[in-house]
Amino acid sequence: MNLDRQIHRVFGLEKSSPPVRGPPLPVSDMSLAFKGYPMLRQAEVFLSVPALERWRMEHTLAFSQECCVCLRAAQRFLPVHAAPGWMSLFRRKQLLAGVPHCEEHGRQDEARLLVQVNPWSEWVCQIALIGMNEAFLLKTRELNQAGDMAPPWKAFPGYEPMSSGWRQGNGEYWFAHVWSPFWQRLSPEERQQYNQRWAAPPDWHSRLMDLP
Ligand SMILES: [Zn+2]
């Protein structure tokens, strides 16, 4: 099922044609206006280790207890299902549980959120979310990226510290957008503790301690 049909099913929105250009709105890099949905926002979340454990156990994410559409207090918690296909007409796969909604926005039996789950490795899980409220998506990203990120030697096993895998493809993307921001937030003491906690191999230990 393509994205347009999924958006129509979940949000009841039609693609605006032509896609909205118009006067410059306050530009958000999360806007889906370029795909014809100025009402929608998208966010990419890379699960931290605590979020990954929650995901494996319960297939859910950490959410603030606010409606994903309007941020009012949450009253109902709804699932996201996989897009219906003819194989799954009778039993639709649940992708994500427990998305908070207020009374008004939670009347249907499905969350007003689209989710795509992309496991890149045992320790790297990328989750793409599409929703209507940018603040809710940002909060969800913050909550699920809190705590340790898995170290590079677990995230991409087989990549040595100087591997060319860190300069291309998923390895490069993850190192630049997930690992580096995480590592830069740690103090020198926290970096030492992290390397002990994760039993850093000697070559990785020295490589990481050299990073800015
Ligand atoms: Zn609401």
Side-chain angles (χ1 to χ4, degrees):
M1 195 182 210
N2 71 27
L3 187 64
D4 291 327
R5 287 174 62 194
Q6 285 195 62
I7 286 175
H8 184 72
R9 181 175 64 86
V10 170
F11 301 105
L13 292 172
E14 301 287 349
K15 187 174 187 140
S16 49
S17 54
V20 179
R21 296 216 176 83
L25 298 165
V27 177
S28 161
D29 61 354
M30 297 170 69
S31 172
L32 272 187
F34 76 100
K35 287 194 173 168
Y37 299 100
M39 301 275 290
L40 296 181
R41 298 289 179 273
Q42 61 182 345
E44 177 184 61
V45 183
F46 281 89
L47 302 184
S48 63
V49 173
L52 199 56
E53 278 162 7
R54 178 198 304 262
W55 177 258
R56 286 180 187 144
M57 301 283 289
E58 306 164 27
H59 253 58
T60 188
L61 296 172
F63 291 115
S64 60
Q65 300 302 296
E66 297 165 323
C67 174
C68 64
V69 179
C70 69
L71 301 183
R72 276 182 287 184
Q75 307 277 344
R76 296 197 63 196
F77 296 85
L78 302 173
V80 178
H81 289 106
W86 69 272
M87 288 288 284
S88 54
L89 273 180
F90 302 105
R91 191 164 174 281
R92 290 170 55 200
K93 189 171 176 248
Q94 186 172 307
L95 291 179
L96 171 62
V99 183
H101 292 70
C102 69
E103 199 65 49
E104 180 192 343
H105 293 121
R107 292 202 186 112
Q108 71 291 356
D109 53 11
E110 178 136 21
R112 298 202 192 204
L113 196 70
L114 276 176
V115 62
Q116 202 180 33
V117 181
N118 305 303
W120 286 8
S121 76
E122 191 188 344
W123 291 91
V124 180
C125 184
Q126 182 223 40
I127 292 192
L129 298 171
I130 293 177
M132 304 186 84
N133 191 299
E134 187 164 319
F136 178 86
L137 294 177
L138 285 171
K139 186 78 185 167
T140 301
R141 172 152 74 194
E142 183 190 322
L143 290 171
N144 291 282
Q145 295 192 166
D148 276 3
M149 285 292 169
W153 59 92
K154 293 230 181 257
F156 292 86
Y159 283 21
E160 303 294 326
M162 302 315 274
S163 162
S164 63
W166 301 117
R167 296 193 295 277
Q168 60 194 340
N170 282 359
E172 179 191 35
Y173 189 87
W174 179 87
F175 204 88
H177 291 94
V178 183
W179 175 260
S180 292
F182 164 72
W183 191 248
Q184 277 162 14
R185 282 196 300 273
L186 302 184
S187 68
E189 294 75 30
E190 288 170 328
R191 291 181 175 191
Q192 289 283 0
Q193 289 160 5
Y194 179 93
N195 280 352
Q196 276 176 14
R197 194 156 63 241
W198 288 92
D203 51 350
W204 270 113
H205 179 77
S206 41
R207 167 94 171 96
L208 293 183
M209 296 314 277
D210 284 347
L211 289 176

